Amino acid sequence: MSVPTTVPPSHDADRPARTGYAAEAVVDLDAVAANVGVLAERAPGAAVMAVVKADAYGHGLLPCARAALAGGATWLGVAQVAEALALRAGGVTAPVLCWLATPGGDLADAVAADVDVSVAAPWALDEAVTAAREHDRPARVHLKVDTGLGRGGATPDDWHDLVVAALAARAEGTVQLVGAWSHFAWADAPEHPTVRAQEQVMADAVATAERLGARFELRHLANSAATLTNPGAHLDLVRPGIAVYGLSPVPEIASTADLGLVPAMTLTARLALVKRVGAGQGVSYGHAYTTAAETTLGLVPLGYADGVPRHAGNAGPVLAAGRTRRVAGRVCMDQLVVDLGDDEAAAGDEVVLFGTGADGGPTAQDWAEAAGTIGYEIVSRLGARVPRRHVGTAGVA
């Protein structure tokens, strides 16, 4: 059953009608729900926050949020306040944590919409308190400590003062201390010494806060990789992201199949042109590929403007005319070419850039390896003009 796609205003408000486009990304919502179920089984003592930031890693914010909740997630996580507000506007009432804002931004809108906010600096606490007073409701706050990633979060040296200030705000009724949290630097290498070191810093930070009088409802640290490989890091809640969409966060350790996950997105296109050319024909810009013999070339109407990595020229895998082939030459803005050899093909035939891999075709991880990147980037960079079609019944009323 096909499910109409609902897209948050921040992603799709001005997108033209999706008619006649020669490519699409099919997103299996039942796979999303099933993946969340697998993750919940891996962390039996913890709640699951499905991370749906960046338009659900390119899969569609609202449909995937609903599917994740149907699969057993009880929380949703986003980066930007606008993403959280899009969830609320779409009727999602589950708890949502938003963790990335700047001074003078829209924390007040988050507090008004009953969205939890991350606080890692005095300015953020001040703005949360101001919003709480303005809307006459306490701001739901998760204090973030930098346990070693060197990115977001208060340093251990600043943690004491941040907790003291948050406790003062709690005492006046403007803040509810919901959580303490952090993020791993090297969770995809579970034996790396930084993993245990960060766990200890997290434990010390919570202990410090508790000595000062804080009582957190939730402590959370584990991303997808830690959820699947490090039970000791599960704490009260896990925050899987890429694994929700069926991609392995630890491909060097275990494949999606090994982990019991199913990739939710399949990217397909239809050949726009098929033609015979002779030996020695240069293909695409710069003639980075030259035909070795008379052959058939197929033109695929997807390019780097659609999110296909330009640096995957002569490397990116495409299932076409029954076999997996490599992109022939450079990826262009709107198109790429594949060498079909002597296999039969015609304009309009379907090709698959990536999918589940169950049919022997390429996966997003295969593209990641071809482009020297990670699967996260392959799916989340998929361009806005590629239609998403959601199938399955998970999360559909």
Side-chain angles (χ1 to χ4, degrees), residues 274 276 295-297 320-323 325 339-346:
V274 173
R276 293 291 288 181
T295 191
T296 299
L297 298 179
R323 294 196 293 126
R325 309 161 195 276
D339 188 337
L340 302 172
D342 294 323
D343 293 327
E344 291 189 10

Side-chain angles (χ1 to χ4, degrees), residues 107 117-122 124-125 128 141-145 153-154 159 162 181:
L107 277 183
V117 296
S118 175
V119 165
L125 182 62
V141 164
H142 297 234
L143 298 182
K144 186 174 186 182
V145 58
W159 178 250
L162 182 65
W181 74 294

Side-chain angles (χ1 to χ4, degrees), residues 208-223:
T208 295
E210 290 178 343
R211 283 196 299 271
L212 292 168
R215 295 294 180 268
F216 299 109
E217 299 172 25
L218 298 169
R219 302 159 300 144
H220 47 107
L221 178 60
N223 56 4

Side-chain angles (χ1 to χ4, degrees), residues 21-24 268-273 299-302 346-351:
Y21 203 75
E24 69 172 357
T268 66
R270 296 194 176 277
L271 291 173
L273 179 68
L299 186 66
V300 179
L302 283 170
D349 286 356
E350 184 178 84
V351 299

